[in-house]
Amino acid sequence: MAFDIEMIKEVYKNLPSRVTAARKLVGRPLTLTEKILCSHLHHDQKAQLFERGKSYVDFSPDRVAMQDATAQMALLQFMQSGRPKVAVPSTVHCDHLITARDGAANDLAFANKESKEVFDFLGSVSNKYGIGFWKPGAGIIHQVVLENYAFPGGMMIGTDSHTVNAGGLGMIAIGVGGADACDVMAGLAWELKMPKLIGVKLTGKLSGWTAPKDVILKVAGILTVKGGTDAVVEYFGEGALSMSCTGKGTICNMGAEIGATTSTFGYDDSMSRYLKATGRADVAELANAVKEHLTADPEVYADPAKYFDQVIEINLSELEPHVNGPFSPDLATPISKLKETAIANGWPLKISVGLLGSCTNSSYEDISRAVSLAKQVSSKNLKAKSEYLINPGSEQIRFTIKRDGFLDVFDQIGAKVFTNACGPCIGMWDRMGAEKQEKNTIIHSFNRNFAKRADGNPNTYAFVASPEIVTAMAIAGTLTFNPLTDTLVNEKGEGVKLDAPSGDELPKNGFAVEDPGYQAPAADGSKVTIAVSPTSDRLQLLDPFTAWEGSDIKGLKLLIKAKGKCTTDHISMAGPWLKYRGHLDNISNNMLIGAVNFFNEKTDSVKNQLTSNYDSVPKVQRAYKAKSIGSIVVGDENYGEGSSREHAAMEPRHLGVRAVLVKSFARIHETNLKKQGMLALTFNTKADYDKIKEDDVIDIVGLTTFAPSKPLTIVLNHGDGSKDEITVNHTYNQQQIEWFKAGGALNIIRAGIKK
């Protein structure tokens, strides 16, 4: 039986009437996205004709999921909310704090020792507040959620940008910062700008070498890393119906790479099969009873242009495998063009490592299709030319593929199996030789490939592909290989061609697992104590941020004018810094160290206006903080893309940055800044970015009359005595302005408890 079945029953009980009411209100057929959103309006939210891309709406998500790196800050905030127990079903998953180095057994043992303090903290907080706890080694959060918690028509939020993976089971699942999670766990409404709708019609059927991953790699190439911002992508058509549930999850997972709020699919037989295979036949039965409400109305898919803001059509029968990268997940290249593109761009052709797994591609189907290729290494007398590394998605997956002999096959080609955890995908890879920063190429089935993300080496060219293509390319060892057309020379000197991959959507003998790694919370957590050592360098209790002073903010120093791509990896790096995710002051020492300074083209080198010397970004900002001087960060387009990590907002806030001014924001990061009481501003005229000079002292004017849709004024006091005034915009509504005035949303929650 499923977890939280009574909650799911309640959602389905209310679904028909709420969908009917919404359809009557708007006077037209509804998309699936609209059905799920309207059926999850908060009870205080008046139903009305919301404007896509503009209206802020309050929702009531069904559940919250947190991974260990982000859960620390989310739960530290929740502990200050004054609530005795979470208001909605919530879970913590320990998957980020495990370094991939020697192999599963040794790495897990090391993590349990190195991060014991953090795991114990998360376990005890979960126990106290009624939160389900998944131990280290249990699996990657999004795979575990898909196997245990996701359900068609549900709505969830998670403190990880790839929470969207649950769209593969027909959910609206959205990545958020810890402050948003705190609100929902505290029983408050969750606010979201009503998203625009992008429809993707899939015709035809996948076959041969083409996989679900290729759909989203193609879409990423079409929409780019910001083309889905403030939009939900809804997939439909005969091609969608022919795809597995986990394949749908892969597509939704990488929707984060186009900036989409989330992605989803309508309920179909593949989802029913998956629910039954993962022990949730009861959920499938409930969903079948309301299935007409778990997909769009027929009129929508018959004439999608009338209902979506943008429609993309992809014929799966004609779709070619893609390889995306390097350094950006939207740089899409069809496999037939990869050789010439790689040579023309001077990319390193030799593939050092092929990596299989991550939350994007670690299902049974993914691994079984990869195994069908790995088997051909011995049967065709080949030898894999690249190192091959695997991260199973969950203990259930690992146990099942071990039972079915898959791990033995991988072992025969020299593969190394890491812990059921994120590992290299998030930079938790202690890769031998990475410190030499040699130019090299890797190919993986992950979702992101930003510079330095996997191994910390800025010269590692990382490419994203399906598990099938990753495996084939690792066997060949070169980017010039096209498995659809090319032959390989085997150990006997013969030319052989790889057969197209094949595999099973679900295990023929069912899933199996001895210990999934789940720990249920105490029925009564009131007697559970949570201890945080004041001398710990891993955990630190939070102090409230100070409220706005009630006047315009003047005399701000320019901290950095970031040039080009500035993701949350650049603002708050992962990898070795993950260990400090529960200690705000310590992790603030990585603030913006990856951002490129416009004025000297260097990273982690900015001018200290107090001394005129150049130093690391955190050191300069700490010098300003010591003198009670605020600062401002200036950025480029899509600032803060990537992970949901709210540390990228909390670190600047903690160190005294007052505002972030950019050409455009990624959705989650903008929200995180607002939640922490920061000013998130955008240039009214993007060319004004060029007016920002290195020695600027900056004033923000108009805050005493701060109001929705009312621009503010920035005064640039240049070092030569001249001035420029520029207009800047914001997207704050009245509630968000109150967050700013109070010094952060959590301060408002605290104040409410005191009353």
Side-chain angles (χ1 to χ4, degrees), residues 74 112 147 498:
N112 277 321
E147 291 175 359
L498 293 175

Side-chain angles (χ1 to χ4, degrees), residues 546-554 556 621 628-633 652-653 655-660 677-681 700 703 732 740:
T546 55
W548 171 56
E549 56 266 65
S551 61
D552 290 338
I553 303 175
K554 297 184 177 182
L556 301 177
Q621 183 54 40
S628 299
I629 298 171
S631 67
I632 185 169
V633 169
R653 180 74 167 103
L655 292 184
V657 177
R658 301 298 302 274
V660 179
M678 294 273 282
L679 283 172
L681 309 173
I700 303 175
L703 290 174
Y732 287 76
F740 166 73

Side-chain angles (χ1 to χ4, degrees), residues 33 45 190 262 329 362 442 464 558 575 632 690 724 734:
T33 302
Q45 174 65 63
W190 175 64
T262 192
S362 55
I442 65 173
V464 183
L558 174 67
I632 185 169
D690 298 324
D724 274 309
Q734 192 56 51

Side-chain angles (χ1 to χ4, degrees), residues 164 173-175 190 192-193 195 228-233 255 259-263 667:
V164 295
I174 301 174
W190 175 64
L192 176 72
K193 186 187 294 183
T229 302
D230 289 332
V232 172
V233 183
T261 301
T262 192
S263 306
R667 176 191 64 84

Side-chain angles (χ1 to χ4, degrees), residues 208-252:
W209 284 91
T210 311
K213 183 68 162 273
D214 297 305
V215 175
I216 186 57
L217 295 178
K218 174 74 172 179
V219 170
I222 295 170
L223 290 176
T224 77
V225 290
K226 64 176 184 175
T229 302
D230 289 332
V232 172
V233 183
E234 186 171 322
Y235 292 85
F236 61 93
E238 60 176 343
L241 295 175
S242 68
M243 207 177 290
S244 69
C245 175
T246 52
K248 294 178 173 73
T250 292
I251 293 170
C252 293

